[in-house]
Amino acid sequence: MKKKIAIPVKDGILDGHFGHCSHFALLDVMDKAIVTEELVAAPPHEPGLLPPFLADLGVTDVIAGGMGSRAIQIFNQHNVNVFVGAPQLDAKELVKGFLDESLSFTANYCDH
C-alpha cells in the first residue's frame, strides 16, 4: 500500500482550519511506514484551489481538522480521500495514528 498523506499545518501541528493553513506536511507512506516527509507552502487561499493543487502533488489522503463540504466534494472528484475532525497533533503523530487505526476523527465540517 502506497499513500501520500497531506496535513494542513502551522508550526508542525495540525492547523484546524484547512483553507487558511500556511503549509502542508506531505508524508509518503509505504506498507504502513512513513518513508519521506516534506513541507510545502500553501498557495494563497482561494475557494476550490487546494484540492487540485494537492491532487497534482500526488496526494491520496488528507487528514484535517475542519473543512467545507464543497472542498471535500472537489477532493473526492480528484480521487483523494478526506478525513476530518482530527485532533491538533504533530503531523507525524497523526499519520502514525491513522496508519495503526488508533486515531479517532470527529466530523468537523465548515460552512465557509
Side-chain angles (χ1 to χ4, degrees):
M1 167 197 71
K2 184 178 179 184
K3 292 181 172 287
K4 179 173 264 192
I5 302 172
I7 300 172
V9 293
K10 180 177 182 179
D11 301 325
I13 304 296
L14 175 77
D15 188 329
H17 197 292
F18 175 81
H20 296 283
C21 70
S22 63
H23 291 82
F24 288 97
L26 301 180
L27 293 93
D28 286 305
V29 173
M30 180 67 82
D31 298 323
K32 295 201 174 207
I34 297 170
V35 180
T36 62
E37 182 179 2
E38 67 177 308
L39 197 61
V40 175
H45 178 68
E46 189 178 311
L49 177 71
L50 293 176
F53 169 77
L54 292 171
D56 287 347
L57 293 175
V59 168
T60 59
D61 300 87
V62 174
I63 297 173
M67 184 183 300
S69 59
R70 182 71 183 122
I72 293 170
Q73 289 175 343
I74 297 169
F75 271 121
N76 291 336
Q77 290 168 358
H78 285 88
N79 297 315
V80 176
N81 301 308
V82 178
F83 302 90
V84 296
Q88 288 188 297
L89 298 171
D90 172 82
K92 226 175 202 174
E93 283 181 66
L94 288 169
V95 171
K96 286 178 183 175
F98 177 71
L99 294 173
D100 68 17
E101 299 179 12
S102 66
L103 186 65
S104 59
F105 295 93
T106 58
N108 188 3
Y109 300 97
C110 301
D111 291 331
H112 52 279

